[in-house]
Amino acid sequence: MRRGLVALVLVGLAASAAVLVPRVRLEAGYRAVEIVLDGDDWLMLARREGREPARMLRALRDRGATSLAIADNTLRRLADDGLISYASGPTLQSQARLSALAPPFARLHAAGAIRTDAVYVTGPRGHLDFVAQRFRALLGPERTHLRGDVVEVIGAQQDLEEIGLGYRAEDAALARAAGLGVVLRPRNYRGLSRASLRVLVDGYAQATPQPTLIFALTEVQGYERLIGDAAAEYWRIGARFGRIEVFSARRKQRGEDRLTALMQPAVIRVFSITPEELQVLRPAQVADRFLRAAQERNIRLLYVRPLLSTPAGDSPVDVNLDLVASIARGLQESGFAVTRSQPLAPLEVPRPVMWVVAVGALALAFLVVDDLARAVGLRLRSSVAGVLLALAVLITVGASFSRLDGFWRQLLALGTAIAAATGAVVWALPPHAPTRRTSPIAAGLGVLLRALVVAVSGGLFVAALLSQWAFMLAFATFLGVKPAHAAPVVLVGTWVALGARASVSWRQTLQDLVDWVRRPLRVGWALAALALGTLGVLLLARTGNIGLPLLGAEVQLRTMLEDVLVARPRTKEFLIGYPALVLAGVASSVGWRGAALPLAMAGAVGTAGAINSFSHLHTPLLYTIWRTGNALLLGAVLAIPAAVMLLWVARRGRRS
């Protein structure tokens, strides 16, 4: 049975290559990155510094900016731009008692036609017609009336002045004159109907062809009952949905998941830095964060706001022009094309190929389970293993034709990640002390290399299982990040501790565990358990996108590694896991089996971290491989002096 399972693992790895090679090609062609300027903030900077907006936008284009993001029109925005004037009915009645009103308002007041529950808008006929047409579409003709040179809208001023009225064709004129593309930032209105939605979307197409939509505020347009209709309207005009990257569910725009599913694959990931964060970042840090978003996370639309707080003595405009230039230069040096971004095409994988990948992953998991069961004292019959494997394959085939395909793949990936991270450590450890001709340090490095081969194999299975459009753009994520880090540590400890005994039954194993639990607890063991538990909690808290804040020294270390190595290795791998694996091998070679146990458990942190890197499907695969190689190199270098120290302690112990 074992040879058959190994053969299935090898066949599964070949099938994984058949999935991952096209993925690498797809990622290699997905290199167009768009630098989008926040229109409101950049134009505010131009006005604040007394610069001509059109000239500054042309300068930004020359520095590498691609597009300008334009917010949709509102009464407040049109009034701020000097295009219209508006006031509520009570305000006009109050002003009429103090001074003469503007003629359009004065005529209404003289006729006694001003209502206290309405807002009145006046201005040039073209702007007035736009306001009247949009409010009729959004609120209905019973609430919108054209009274001479005034539009009367029934409602409260604080509500009406913030309703998004959409776009006019001339709204994009400033961007086009500067040679920039246009990105639209509409907002949602809960009173939308199918008819009013179509009116707004028609305006998007007039403003710019095939627009990219990045929704403002906290909701996507159409939330919550018209999202399907909104998606259909966007497809009609060839629009793309720009989905903003966030790291917590609280910051997600309501309705973005459903809109993403309906707009697939016309979705582009967006990265931005909030104004609050910009207050404390230096230009170099800002540029670095944008560059890493493109390199590491398949972000293809960089939404750039200006730094509004710049050092005294520096020109704010020049600082921000240099910021955009540094972002564009960094992208180009990294092999990206600074131009209008395009959606990522889905990776088409034939179902039979994915079935073979799943069989290989299941075979790897069965190998680990079988060996772990033997260490516990159980014997898994070949017939039982065959039936279980066949059942898992049937479930995989059936799930691939249903909506459960993505969820089942996540379960397979999680099981494979835990099994591979566990087996990588235990299989790499020598079953007995090597011959004297073998250097202990060489033995330790051999343990690291063997463990990483198995871990990378598991990582390739995980990457192949999850190489789907939603995972590659981080709209779906790896299931069970924390269990995938914690379980291997526990399983390795159990396996190594029990596997060192002579062959026993599961009943004897259970009795040994009962006897161990009944032993008196010593203070030293209690303190050691408390320390290990605290360390484990801290490590788990640091996994995932949201966790404990970084220490200042670690931030500096990360920055240095990013500057030197570009693909920064994960700290838990090269600083903890990989050196621990080498030391576990060294300890085993000198007969320190007791020391090998905790070191092997710490080594599982490294193998779990390596596989976790491959589970980040939004990171290009070649970048992940580069990062893993860097971690191996650094971990081996750091392990050598630690191994020399361990051998010195061992020799001293023998002499005494």
Side-chain angles (χ1 to χ4, degrees):
M1 182 188 74
R2 189 174 187 84
R3 290 181 179 177
L5 290 175
V6 171
L8 289 177
V9 170
L10 295 177
V11 173
L13 285 173
S16 298
V19 174
L20 297 177
V21 169
R23 175 185 154 187
V24 169
R25 292 174 182 161
L26 180 64
E27 291 170 338
Y30 188 53
R31 307 291 287 178
V33 180
E34 188 170 356
I35 299 178
V36 180
L37 307 173
D38 181 271
D40 287 349
D41 283 356
W42 283 95
L43 294 178
M44 180 183 70
L45 176 65
R47 290 191 294 268
R48 193 184 75 178
E49 298 300 317
R51 303 294 182 95
E52 182 186 350
R55 179 175 295 180
M56 195 173 86
L57 290 179
R58 287 193 295 270
L60 287 163
R61 177 207 60 197
D62 294 340
R63 300 307 196 280
T66 310
S67 306
L68 185 70
I70 304 173
D72 56 356
N73 289 292
T74 63
L75 283 183
R76 182 187 295 274
R77 183 178 298 277
L78 291 170
D80 289 343
D81 291 340
L83 302 179
I84 63 166
S85 299
Y86 70 92
S88 66
T91 298
L92 291 176
Q93 291 176 339
S94 176
Q95 290 179 350
R97 289 191 291 268
L98 299 175
S99 61
L101 296 173
F105 295 144
R107 287 190 288 270
L108 285 179
H109 183 263
I114 292 180
R115 299 174 51 156
T116 58
D117 60 350
V119 170
Y120 294 89
V121 186
T122 189
R125 175 55 61 177
H127 302 317
L128 212 57
D129 290 342
F130 171 78
V131 170
Q133 187 246 4
R134 294 306 167 88
F135 272 122
R136 284 198 188 100
L138 293 168
L139 304 180
E142 65 279 0
R143 292 181 59 184
T144 308
H145 310 97
L146 185 60
R147 304 195 183 284
D149 294 332
V150 177
V151 175
E152 178 187 74
V153 187
I154 308 301
Q157 178 177 328
Q158 59 266 34
D159 295 332
L160 297 177
E161 65 185 359
E162 294 299 339
I163 291 178
L165 302 177
Y167 295 87
R168 305 162 299 162
E170 57 266 33
D171 290 331
L174 183 61
R176 291 199 184 97
L180 294 170
V182 174
V183 169
L184 304 182
R185 296 220 63 192
R187 64 185 69 190
N188 187 39
Y189 170 55
R190 289 295 187 95
L192 278 177
S193 65
R194 291 181 178 86
S196 59
L197 178 63
R198 169 156 289 213
V199 170
L200 293 177
V201 173
D202 285 341
Y204 303 161
Q206 293 174 4
T208 184
Q210 297 182 331
T212 299
L213 307 176
I214 305 176
F215 296 105
L217 305 178
T218 60
E219 300 173 348
V220 302
Q221 196 169 48
Y223 181 80
E224 52 191 309
R225 295 186 177 180
L226 291 180
I227 293 179
D229 298 276
E233 291 295 328
Y234 302 151
W235 279 113
R236 179 175 63 85
I237 66 169
R240 299 101 56 84
F241 169 38
R243 175 163 167 164
I244 303 170
E245 180 189 58
V246 296
F247 296 111
S248 67
R250 183 177 57 84
R251 293 184 59 191
K252 290 174 64 174
Q253 289 184 315
R254 290 191 285 270
E256 66 175 25
D257 288 335
R258 184 164 179 233
L259 185 60
T260 296
L262 294 172
M263 290 296 294
Q264 177 181 346
V267 184
I268 304 173
R269 295 191 75 206
V270 180
F271 174 71
S272 67
I273 301 177
T274 64
E276 293 76 19
E277 292 177 291
L278 288 174
Q279 293 288 332
V280 297
L281 294 176
R282 296 189 297 273
Q285 294 173 311
V286 173
D288 179 67
R289 289 183 62 176
F290 278 112
L291 182 58
R292 282 192 284 118
Q295 288 177 331
E296 300 180 11
R297 304 197 297 280
N298 272 341
I299 301 288
R300 293 298 177 261
L301 201 154
L302 306 180
Y303 192 90
V304 182
R305 296 180 175 90
L307 292 164
L308 299 178
S309 297
T310 54
D314 292 340
S315 167
V317 172
D318 291 341
V319 167
N320 284 287
L321 289 175
D322 291 342
L323 170 63
V324 172
S326 64
I327 295 171
R329 183 170 56 253
L331 291 171
Q332 291 166 346
E333 291 173 352
S334 299
F336 294 99
V338 183
T339 184
R340 193 185 191 215
S341 58
Q342 299 296 328
L344 177 67
L347 180 64
E348 302 294 341
V349 179
R351 283 195 181 97
V353 174
M354 193 56 64
W355 298 340
V356 177
V357 173
V359 169
L362 288 166
L364 177 60
F366 268 84
L367 282 170
V368 174
V369 170
D370 182 55
D371 282 358
L372 183 57
R374 290 174 185 272
V376 173
L378 294 172
R379 294 294 184 269
L380 188 63
R381 294 181 180 179
S382 299
S383 58
V384 174
V387 170
L388 292 176
L389 181 60
L391 179 60
V393 172
L394 289 176
I395 294 174
T396 300
V397 173
S400 66
F401 291 97
S402 71
R403 293 183 178 180
L404 295 175
D405 182 41
F407 178 69
W408 179 246
R409 287 197 197 192
Q410 290 185 76
L411 288 180
L412 284 178
L414 176 59
T416 303
I418 294 174
T422 303
V425 175
V426 182
W427 290 338
L429 291 174
H432 51 76
T435 63
R436 292 182 179 179
R437 289 180 296 177
T438 304
S439 164
I441 294 180
L445 293 174
V447 168
L448 173 59
L449 289 175
R450 291 193 296 272
L452 199 59
V453 167
V454 177
V456 169
S457 298
L460 293 177
F461 276 124
V462 171
L465 286 169
L466 301 182
S467 285
Q468 293 179 299
W469 182 86
F471 289 101
M472 293 174 67
L473 292 179
F475 302 145
T477 55
F478 178 60
L479 180 69
V481 174
K482 296 187 186 301
H485 280 81
V489 176
V490 176
L491 292 176
V492 164
T494 303
W495 192 344
V496 172
L498 298 178
R501 306 172 306 158
S503 179
V504 295
S505 68
W506 66 269
R507 292 183 179 86
Q508 183 61 49
T509 299
L510 182 60
Q511 184 60 49
D512 291 345
L513 290 175
V514 171
D515 293 341
W516 181 78
V517 170
R518 288 177 175 175
R519 290 179 183 177
L521 181 62
R522 297 181 179 179
V523 174
W525 283 108
L527 293 176
L530 179 61
L532 289 175
T534 303
L535 179 61
V537 170
L538 290 175
L539 288 175
L540 283 178
R542 294 292 301 276
T543 60
N545 289 324
I546 300 298
L548 295 178
L550 299 177
L551 300 175
E554 187 175 356
V555 171
Q556 294 178 358
L557 176 62
R558 287 188 172 201
T559 302
M560 182 190 69
L561 291 175
E562 286 163 358
D563 292 340
V564 175
L565 301 176
V566 181
R568 177 185 61 80
R570 297 187 180 279
T571 307
K572 292 189 288 289
E573 291 178 48
F574 79 86
L575 203 57
I576 299 175
Y578 295 168
L581 281 171
V582 175
L583 294 178
V586 171
S588 297
S589 69
V590 298
W592 282 16
R593 303 297 297 184
L597 173 60
L599 289 171
M601 294 176 66
V605 173
T607 55
I611 297 173
N612 181 253
S613 294
F614 285 89
S615 74
H616 287 72
L617 274 294
H618 56 280
T619 300
L621 183 61
L622 291 181
Y623 191 91
T624 297
I625 295 173
W626 187 4
R627 163 180 279 171
T628 304
N630 285 339
L632 171 63
L633 177 62
L634 277 180
V637 169
L638 292 174
I640 290 175
V644 171
M645 179 63 67
L646 180 64
L647 290 172
W648 179 81
V649 171
R651 293 190 187 99
R652 295 276 296 183
R654 289 196 190 102
R655 291 173 186 170
S656 60

